[in-house]
Amino acid sequence: MWVRREQIIRKIIRLQQNELYQLVQKSLNLLFPFVLIGSISQLIQITMLNRNSLLPTIFGFSSWLSRYRFIEIIFDHLTSLTLGIVAALAAFSMAHYTAKRYQRDEKLASITGLIAYLILTVRYTNNGELAFGQDMLGMGGLFLGFLVGYLVGLSFKHLANSQQDKSSSGVTWNRALDSLRAIIIVLVVAICFSILLNWLAISVLPDQVILRLQSLKANQTSLLFSVAIVILAGIMTFFGLTSMPILAHFGRNGVAMTANLNYALIHHTI
């Protein structure tokens, strides 16, 4: 028992010393204030500012909320400006700390990571305009944000010159030139992937794949096959490549379900 516990402790210590783990930990420390403020704001929205929620119904200030809608608007914007952009901030922070670890220009790397991730989230609308995919900017795209930021930092490691012996003042032009190749290649790759994602989203190919797999699933009883289909559909939904989402995200879409549950609790019905 003690041997096994010591092995677990050694594995935990080894994990904490891992380079990627340390980069993610530093990035999460940077994101924590935004996530905390956004979570508190969303909690207030769901529990207190929704007229159909339990607290306004019990204490009878639902009518008061309808007269002061600006309070709900303030918290809605606060939630959007924190939890709504946390994935983009993850790309920013991860690129920053990765480039800094390899003595590259962390300021240019962080800005490049942010721009590259925003390029990936751009979606073409039906009327020909451009818009950001909100699902990829929020908490749903957190993993992708870390991945993009880490890859941008690695690109600066291999394509940019070291900044270890250069001061941060007086050599701005030289620092930009040292990182110019990395910036251009990262942005070109991000644009190419963005075009590919938009083409897949516009075309009906992803939906056809999901429908075909679902028809195959109906004739199969294998648990492994069913799990594989769910994982594939989840990945395609994560990248916004299919119009058939698997799970409804809790948040603004969950307000109606919360209202129904509160009504059932108050009136003792199901």
Side-chain angles (χ1 to χ4, degrees):
M1 175 65 100
W2 288 104
V3 176
R4 183 176 301 177
R5 181 177 301 179
E6 291 178 357
Q7 291 177 350
I8 296 175
I9 293 175
R10 283 198 297 267
K11 289 181 179 179
I12 294 175
I13 295 175
R14 195 180 302 114
L15 177 62
Q16 292 176 345
Q17 295 174 349
N18 182 268
E19 173 186 300
L20 183 59
Y21 175 87
Q22 294 178 354
L23 293 174
V24 173
Q25 185 181 41
K26 292 179 180 179
S27 300
L28 287 174
N29 290 336
L30 182 63
L31 296 178
F32 175 75
F34 298 95
V35 176
L36 178 62
I37 294 174
S39 300
I40 294 175
S41 175
Q42 191 175 53
L43 180 63
I44 293 175
Q45 281 184 273
I46 296 174
T47 59
M48 298 183 63
L49 299 182
N50 179 27
R51 292 183 296 275
N52 296 320
S53 60
L54 185 62
L55 292 180
T57 305
I58 292 178
F59 294 102
F61 56 87
S62 299
S63 59
W64 180 83
L65 288 175
S66 62
R67 293 196 300 268
Y68 297 95
R69 293 292 303 276
F70 70 92
I71 300 178
E72 182 180 355
I73 295 175
I74 291 174
F75 279 94
D76 183 70
H77 290 339
L78 181 61
T79 303
S80 300
L81 291 174
T82 50
L83 295 182
I85 61 171
V86 69
L89 295 177
F92 177 91
S93 59
M94 194 68 173
H96 175 91
Y97 288 115
T98 304
K100 185 177 181 180
R101 185 177 185 86
Y102 298 114
Q103 289 84 41
R104 300 301 188 267
D105 196 325
E106 67 273 12
K107 296 178 182 178
L108 288 176
S110 57
I111 296 175
T112 304
L114 176 61
I115 295 176
Y117 189 78
L118 291 177
I119 291 175
L120 291 176
T121 61
V122 170
R123 292 292 177 267
Y124 297 103
T125 60
N126 294 330
N127 54 4
E129 297 179 354
L130 298 178
F132 290 108
Q134 297 298 323
D135 292 338
M136 293 181 64
L137 285 175
M139 293 294 294
L142 186 61
F143 173 77
L144 184 61
F146 281 128
L147 179 61
V148 171
Y150 182 66
L151 293 177
V152 170
L154 292 181
S155 300
F156 271 72
K157 173 188 175 183
H158 296 290
L159 300 174
N161 296 329
S162 176
Q163 304 292 323
Q164 187 174 8
D165 300 326
K166 298 181 180 181
S167 60
S168 59
S169 61
V171 290
T172 305
W173 180 250
N174 292 332
R175 291 167 65 93
L177 290 178
D178 290 338
S179 305
L180 185 61
R181 181 174 60 172
I183 294 174
I184 293 176
I185 293 178
V186 167
L187 294 183
V188 169
V189 173
I191 292 173
C192 293
F193 270 98
S194 179
I195 294 174
L196 177 62
L197 292 176
N198 276 281
W199 178 80
L200 290 173
I202 293 173
S203 68
V204 296
L205 177 62
D207 287 345
Q208 289 179 349
V209 172
I210 295 296
L211 290 174
R212 178 60 178 169
L213 291 176
Q214 287 180 346
S215 63
L216 292 176
K217 178 184 175 182
N219 300 324
Q220 296 287 338
T221 58
S222 173
L223 177 61
L224 182 61
F225 184 80
S226 301
V227 171
I229 293 178
V230 172
I231 293 176
L232 178 60
I235 293 175
M236 297 177 69
T237 304
F238 175 79
F239 286 102
L241 302 180
T242 176
S243 59
M244 295 176 291
I246 303 303
L247 295 175
H249 297 288
F250 180 77
R252 292 177 178 81
N253 295 333
V255 171
M257 293 185 295
T258 305
N260 293 333
L261 178 60
N262 291 332
Y263 181 89
L265 292 174
I266 293 173
H267 296 85
H268 305 288
T269 60
I270 296 178

